[in-house]
Amino acid sequence: MIKKQKVRRTVKHPHIKKDDKVRVISGEFKDKEGRVLSVNPEKGTAVVESINMIKKHVKPNKNVGKGGIVEKEGPIALSNIALLGEDGKITHAKYIEQGDKRVRINAKTKEEI
């Protein structure tokens, strides 16, 4: 029996970074907002605070304690989330060079993020 390999949605330069405020633009959690906890460019996913909550069965150990069923955030595709600007509207991040530094700016308002 031949196993199918999962297709990776590798993203070279993700437009979302950790601690960005984002809005879900499609899927089950559409129009919900949250803060990005982590980004995985190899899989093309991000973990957003209080979105896509999953239940995980955990054995007892030092870190968890008693064990049992733990709720935590699951990954969501980068294509399904959009960056929010200071005004609360969807925007995109751009990089420009100021001197010898690359600065991330809001594409609509040209303000630094």
Side-chain angles (χ1 to χ4, degrees), residues 16 34 39 41-43 61 76-77 87 96 100 112-113:
I16 305 291
V39 178
E42 283 185 4
K43 292 186 178 179
N61 61 37
I76 187 167
D87 54 357
I96 59 167
D100 58 341
E112 192 173 330
I113 297 176

Side-chain angles (χ1 to χ4, degrees), residues 17 37 99:
K17 281 185 157 187
L37 301 175

Side-chain angles (χ1 to χ4, degrees), residues 5 9 19 21 37 57 61 66 72 78-79 81 83 93 106:
Q5 286 186 339
R9 293 177 269 174
D19 291 327
K21 188 145 169 112
L37 301 175
H57 298 265
N61 61 37
K66 192 176 179 183
K72 66 179 212 166
L78 284 173
S79 61
I81 57 178
L83 182 66
N106 183 329

